[in-house]
Amino acid sequence: EAVPNGFREPTCATAGENKFAVYCTECDKLINTFSVTVPAIGHDFDDNGFCTRCSAFEPAEHENRIYDGETYSFFIIDNAGKLFWFRKNAIAGSNAWLDADITVNDRVIDPATGKLVSNTSALRAFEGFGEWSFEFRGIFNGDGHTVSGLYIPDTDGRNGFFRYVGYTTIIDGLTLKDTFVENTYGAGALIGQAASYSNVTVKNCAWNGVTKGKNGDEDINYVIGQMRDIVFDNLRINGELVPSL
């Protein structure tokens, strides 16, 4: 006779397991054990691209699009979850295209005070693109769209929507609104640091929010923290710069 002998719940991405033990009906001696796989239940992404059951982000799909007369492969981002997924999975040379306005958090800057909201525990923190040894190098085409409600707290190294950008990066048509960026040094709402001789282009971009230094004021600027070889075209800023706490 087979009787239940354990159960492992399935998760969004991992299969579960029903375990059984088989006993002799006459002497109750264990004869055998076996298990039955319970399929993973799959992710349940909400309208903003976040799984309602786990911490997964909705994957961004890619397609070929024409930018500035040339055809490139872009990851298409139309919700916050896909933005987080692209941050986690982008490799050198990846390109992104915003297809919609995106709201990460409903309110980051208190309109009454112009400061960061007092209760930050409910805010979803965003970690900017690029690392010291793995810069973002690609095209980020905002296509005239806005990313709102970015909360980018203190981190090790530079900080911003893009922490580090590298050779020939293009950031175009992007507006950051209701944005808070904080760092010990090297902070800018849009870019923390651009590498030397990187030939970065920032055009048709705008920013509204607060950029805040912490325990010092090295390379803390409104939009670009440490600027090297950046070409600007039509950059609009409206916010507060706080060099040091």
Side-chain angles (χ1 to χ4, degrees):
E1 179 184 6
V3 297
N5 191 37
F7 177 68
R8 186 178 73 246
E9 291 276 359
T11 67
C12 291
T14 305
E17 185 181 35
N18 262 322
K19 296 181 179 181
F20 296 89
V22 180
Y23 294 93
C24 176
T25 56
E26 296 183 0
C27 66
D28 291 332
K29 181 180 179 180
L30 179 64
I31 300 174
N32 193 14
T33 61
F34 68 94
S35 62
V36 176
T37 299
V38 180
I41 58 178
H43 297 296
D44 177 34
F45 295 112
D46 61 21
D47 291 341
N48 213 20
F50 299 109
C51 183
T52 60
R53 291 190 285 257
C54 72
S55 59
F57 312 127
E58 185 176 0
E61 298 183 354
H62 60 83
E63 64 181 55
N64 290 335
R65 292 192 177 183
I66 297 174
Y67 174 79
D68 199 23
E70 300 288 340
T71 300
Y72 301 89
S73 179
F74 287 91
F75 284 95
I76 309 304
I77 299 173
D78 57 12
N79 61 39
K82 292 180 182 179
L83 182 70
F84 278 68
W85 180 93
F86 182 71
R87 164 62 184 89
K88 181 179 180 181
N89 294 279
I91 61 174
S94 295
N95 304 311
W97 189 300
L98 291 191
D99 249 12
D101 293 338
I102 292 171
T103 299
V104 178
N105 295 288
D106 289 333
R107 177 64 65 188
V108 172
I109 305 300
D110 187 336
T113 64
K115 310 292 184 183
L116 177 67
V117 294
S118 57
N119 181 17
T120 61
S121 61
L123 295 180
R124 187 184 293 272
F126 182 78
E127 183 178 1
F129 295 99
E131 308 289 343
W132 171 255
S133 58
F134 189 73
E135 304 155 340
F136 178 86
R137 301 183 181 187
I139 301 169
F140 195 100
N141 183 19
D143 199 30
H145 291 295
T146 298
V147 178
S148 301
L150 282 169
Y151 173 57
I152 309 177
D154 193 16
T155 187
D156 181 26
R158 310 298 184 181
N159 209 10
F161 186 67
F162 296 89
R163 295 182 64 203
Y164 297 91
V165 295
Y167 184 65
T168 66
T169 293
I170 298 174
I171 304 168
D172 187 5
L174 174 65
T175 294
L176 303 181
K177 181 181 177 182
D178 186 32
T179 298
F180 178 86
V181 179
E182 176 187 55
N183 209 33
T184 302
Y185 69 98
L190 187 61
I191 297 174
Q193 176 179 311
S196 298
Y197 311 110
S198 52
N199 192 26
V200 172
T201 299
V202 177
K203 57 183 179 180
N204 305 316
C205 292
W207 164 76
N208 170 268
V210 174
T211 302
K212 202 165 198 176
K214 188 174 182 181
N215 300 326
D217 59 358
E218 179 185 354
D219 297 326
I220 305 295
N221 293 293
Y222 286 101
V223 180
I224 315 293
Q226 192 172 73
M227 296 177 281
R228 301 175 181 175
D229 305 300
I230 298 181
V231 176
F232 296 101
D233 181 10
N234 190 24
L235 179 64
R236 304 177 302 281
I237 63 175
N238 178 21
E240 181 183 8
L241 177 68
V242 184
S244 182
L245 294 178

